[in-house]
């Protein structure tokens, strides 16, 4: 099976009133394909992978300790996804916050981690990895008004997929940092986009080993008004890093949102077929 079928799957959304950007990388051969994959779009919480990558790097080098305590500040707390804003406890470890960010996309945990390392460090890591257009612009906020960036983060499907490919190859700075990021991604609880219609075991303990005849997923999603994004890794007979980002005008109503989700899920089935196809 050719990766070109991924582009064909993305092309089925051409008549829809949205932008659907897709990039897929065969981790082991380096073959890649994309559609609209250089378009800079809002990517919502999928961009938290870049923050987690920087934390993983610092944990691997010893700049940070996993058990370092981080006290939540009032400025960290925000609504949306996550659990910390509902808990009374204020002290957490760095790795606690990473697990919460990766598993339930906790916005308060994200803000605390971003305050700890700074957006400048994520920009440096992106440049080092060749991710030219993946950018965290701000903290997560409940309301975006004058004087703050209009969105939390922007990026391209290409850059998101390449970040995942780096982690899968162990080249995201170090093998240790790469493996740590993948373990966090494996804990993600939102499988409603690319993995929604594919057969996989989210709890298999063999990760990242390839299951016999099966498929494993590690991913990070993003959801915002007019945005659905998913970046991750499929492990089957082949290892496939991917990113899919849909963007549309919210004034078009809920039918366009449903169409975007359906289109990303359709791409997921094509990615699954490639990942499960044995190499010649």
């Amino acid at each position: 099976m050719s990766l070109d079928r991924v582009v064909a799957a993305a092309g089925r959304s051409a008549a829809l009133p949205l932008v659907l950007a897709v990039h897929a990388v065969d981790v082991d051969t380096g073959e890649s394909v994309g559609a609209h994959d250089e378009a800079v779009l809002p990517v919502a919480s999928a961009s938290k992978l870049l923050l987690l990558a920087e934390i993983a790097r610092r944990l691997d080098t010893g700049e940070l300790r996993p058990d370092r305590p981080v006290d939540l500040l009032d400025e960290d707390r925000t609504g949306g996804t996550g659990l910390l804003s509902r808990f009374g406890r204020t002290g957490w470890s760095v790795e606690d916050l990473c697990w919460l960010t990766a598993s339930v996309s906790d916005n308060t945990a994200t803000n605390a981690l971003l305050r700890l390392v700074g957006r400048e460090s994520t920009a440096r890591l992106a440049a080092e990895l060749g991710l030219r257009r993946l950018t965290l612009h701000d903290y997560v906020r409940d309301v975006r008004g004058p004087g703050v960036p209009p969105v939390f983060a922007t990026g391209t499907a290409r850059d998101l997929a390449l970040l995942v490919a780096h982690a899968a190859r162990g080249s995201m700075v170090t093998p240790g940092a790469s493996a740590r990021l993948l373990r966090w991604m494996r804990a993600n609880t939102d499988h409603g986009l690319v993995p929604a219609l594919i057969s996989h075991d989210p709890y298999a303990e063999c990760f990242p080993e390839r299951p016999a005849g099966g498929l494993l997923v590690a991913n990070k999603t993003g959801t915002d008004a007019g945005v659905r994004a998913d970046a991750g890794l499929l492990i089957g007979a082949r290892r496939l890093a991917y990113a899919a980002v849909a963007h549309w005008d919210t004034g078009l109503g809920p039918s366009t949102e449903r169409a975007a989700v359906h289109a990303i899920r359709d791409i997921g089935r094509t990615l699954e077929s490639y990942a499960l196809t044995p190499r010649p």
Side-chain angles (χ1 to χ4, degrees):
M1 176 184 173
S2 169
L3 267 180
D4 290 337
R5 286 183 58 184
V6 177
V7 176
R12 290 195 284 271
S13 69
L16 299 174
L18 54 86
V19 176
L20 180 60
V22 180
H23 192 87
V25 183
D26 186 312
V27 171
D28 299 303
T29 68
E31 180 186 0
S32 65
V33 296
H36 306 294
D37 54 342
E38 294 283 6
V40 179
L41 302 169
V43 292
S45 291
S47 63
K48 293 174 183 177
L49 285 177
L50 181 58
L51 172 61
L52 290 170
E54 171 60 13
I55 300 290
R57 183 195 70 79
R58 293 191 183 204
L59 291 175
D60 193 62
T61 62
E63 295 172 65
L64 281 177
R65 299 192 324 273
D67 60 352
R68 172 175 169 170
V70 180
D71 288 330
L72 299 182
L73 305 182
D74 288 343
E75 66 197 60
D76 299 327
R77 296 186 181 277
T78 187
T81 55
L83 299 170
L84 286 188
S85 63
R86 296 164 175 83
F87 292 161
R89 177 178 157 194
T90 60
W92 301 84
S93 73
V94 168
E95 191 143 35
D96 287 340
L97 297 177
C98 290
W99 283 113
L100 284 161
T101 298
S103 62
V104 294
S105 201
D106 197 292
N107 288 333
T108 297
T110 298
N111 283 346
L113 291 172
L114 198 50
R115 173 172 54 82
L116 181 66
V117 302
R119 287 186 297 109
E120 298 79 5
S121 69
T122 66
R124 286 193 296 270
L125 179 60
E128 181 179 342
L129 296 176
L131 313 176
R132 304 187 309 276
R133 296 172 181 172
L134 181 57
T135 308
L136 299 178
H137 296 288
D138 194 14
Y139 294 95
V140 183
R141 299 176 186 269
D142 290 326
V143 178
R144 294 201 168 273
V148 300
V151 294
F152 168 57
T154 54
T156 66
R158 175 187 177 276
D159 281 356
L160 284 169
L162 289 183
L163 175 55
V164 175
H166 270 300
R169 292 174 180 142
S171 59
M172 195 200 76
V173 185
T174 66
S178 300
R180 191 184 294 267
L181 179 62
L182 290 178
R183 287 197 298 272
W184 289 336
M185 291 170 61
R186 177 65 175 161
N188 178 39
T189 58
D190 182 5
H191 285 194
L193 291 175
V194 165
L197 302 180
I198 68 179
S199 178
H200 66 290
D201 183 351
Y203 306 111
E205 295 182 357
C206 58
F207 183 86
E209 299 302 319
R210 303 181 184 196
L215 190 71
L216 298 178
V217 178
N219 72 322
K220 181 73 190 75
T221 54
T223 300
D224 204 348
V227 181
R228 293 294 182 275
D230 190 337
L233 176 68
L234 303 184
I235 300 176
R238 311 183 190 199
R239 296 190 300 165
L240 189 63
Y242 70 84
V245 182
H247 184 243
W248 66 94
D249 181 349
T250 56
L252 295 174
S255 63
T256 305
E257 177 184 346
R258 289 193 293 271
V261 171
H262 178 81
I264 292 176
R265 290 175 175 176
D266 185 47
I267 287 169
R269 288 186 291 191
T270 304
L271 295 172
E272 175 193 33
S273 295
Y274 182 90
L276 288 176
T277 303
R279 297 193 187 280

